[in-house]
Amino acid sequence: MKSWFISCILVTEWLLPTSGEDCPSPPPVNNSILVGTCMEGNFLGTYICITGYHLVGKKELLYNNTSLEWDSPAPICRLGHCPIPVLVNGQMNSSNLEHFSDGDVVTFECDTDYILKGSNWSQCQEDHTWIPPLPICRTGQCTPPRKPENGHFKTKGFNSGTNVTFYCDDGYQLIGPQSLQCMDGEWSHESPICEKMEAKKEESCVFQENNICETVQKWIQYQKASGQTLEELKYSLEIKKLQLEKIKFS
């Protein structure tokens, strides 16, 4: 196994060791440093850009002696510490739009009808990254919410600030918020669901003598018609029961 250290600055000059191992010459990358290893005709190289340049592409290249080809295209070293920021549906503001050095700051703004998500500025770091992370521009319109099974919703649109109201079919009840609001491209809550309502149990009578059962049923019907509370109904039934017992033993 052979290892070597190669530098390529502006002018490509490769100083490859002579050995019995038939290793290919790695593709030249200006303004880079290459660390390579050759073993049995297979070559693995790692490209490192010099100060003031950043790598674009895959930093490692592998030559396979079986397939006789490189696993990916050679990278390039581009001037500037950081890659040029890309803001879809927006634009960046900077005095220099071609290359960015350590400490350079850019600001961002979105096109009309788009909302900035993230920081409106970022600074180029020495390690070739942008801090804070680059933002994105999102449309202020919300995607249509999920329609609940056994239900539906009504709305005048999906723009920011509009509301959506949900309704369930007969025999189903709404579980969750009935209304959602679109806020900067996102809904205020999760969509509700429609759950099947349990069937109401029929009232049954436990009394079987002296027409008490019939009386209770009549009082239940009266309670529904009059709007009495259960406590009021209970009190009335107790009085009626005492009256019936008094008649029974008189």
Side-chain angles (χ1 to χ4, degrees):
M1 180 177 70
K2 298 290 183 179
S3 299
W4 58 82
F5 179 88
I6 309 169
S7 66
C8 176
I9 303 177
L10 297 180
V11 178
T12 304
E13 292 185 7
W14 300 104
L15 303 178
L16 299 175
T18 56
S19 68
E21 300 183 43
D22 187 17
C23 282
S25 297
V29 176
N30 288 331
N31 305 300
S32 73
I33 297 171
L34 174 66
V35 178
T37 301
C38 178
M39 184 173 62
E40 298 179 356
N42 297 314
F43 177 85
L44 175 64
T46 301
Y47 293 91
I48 303 172
C49 294
I50 64 174
T51 302
Y53 291 80
H54 66 274
L55 191 76
V56 177
K58 187 178 178 181
K59 70 177 182 179
E60 291 185 346
L61 287 185
L62 174 65
Y63 181 85
N64 191 305
N65 191 32
T66 302
S67 62
L68 302 180
E69 61 183 13
W70 298 94
D71 65 341
S72 62
I76 61 175
C77 286
R78 184 169 293 168
L79 182 63
H81 278 79
C82 294
I84 298 175
V86 177
L87 186 63
V88 180
N89 299 314
Q91 54 190 338
M92 65 174 178
N93 300 312
S94 174
S95 57
N96 186 354
L97 299 178
E98 294 183 356
H99 62 271
F100 298 92
S101 301
D102 178 22
D104 287 348
V105 176
V106 295
T107 58
F108 306 95
E109 60 180 338
C110 294
D111 298 338
T112 305
D113 298 329
Y114 287 86
I115 298 171
L116 190 73
K117 294 292 183 179
S119 174
N120 66 343
W121 67 276
S122 190
Q123 185 176 44
C124 176
Q125 307 296 308
E126 188 176 359
D127 62 356
H128 314 303
T129 61
W130 289 99
I131 300 296
L134 301 180
I136 60 174
C137 290
R138 294 183 54 181
T139 176
Q141 191 177 58
C142 290
T143 56
R146 173 181 53 82
K147 185 178 81 70
E149 187 176 357
N150 302 305
H152 62 281
F153 62 78
K154 294 182 179 180
T155 181
K156 294 183 178 179
F158 304 110
N159 294 325
S160 182
T162 57
N163 294 309
V164 173
T165 305
F166 294 83
Y167 302 91
C168 291
D169 299 338
D170 292 340
Y172 292 84
Q173 60 182 351
L174 199 69
I175 304 298
Q178 185 175 19
S179 180
L180 306 183
Q181 185 178 40
C182 178
M183 304 172 63
D184 296 339
E186 298 180 356
W187 292 108
S188 56
H189 300 89
E190 291 290 333
S191 297
I193 62 174
C194 290
E195 186 177 86
K196 189 174 182 60
M197 299 174 62
E198 295 184 3
K200 294 183 179 180
K201 297 182 179 179
E202 295 294 334
E203 295 87 353
S204 60
C205 184
V206 296
F207 302 104
Q208 300 297 333
E209 57 180 1
N210 296 331
N211 295 324
I212 296 180
C213 181
E214 181 180 354
T215 303
V216 172
Q217 290 176 338
K218 289 182 178 180
W219 273 100
I220 292 176
Q221 294 175 358
Y222 171 78
Q223 183 267 337
K224 290 181 178 180
S226 63
Q228 282 184 310
T229 65
L230 292 177
E231 290 296 326
E232 292 172 340
L233 176 61
K234 180 180 177 182
Y235 178 74
S236 299
L237 290 175
E238 289 292 339
I239 294 178
K240 188 64 177 179
K241 181 179 177 182
L242 291 175
Q243 291 175 345
L244 293 174
E245 289 180 350
K246 182 178 180 182
I247 296 174
K248 179 180 179 180
F249 294 106
S250 60

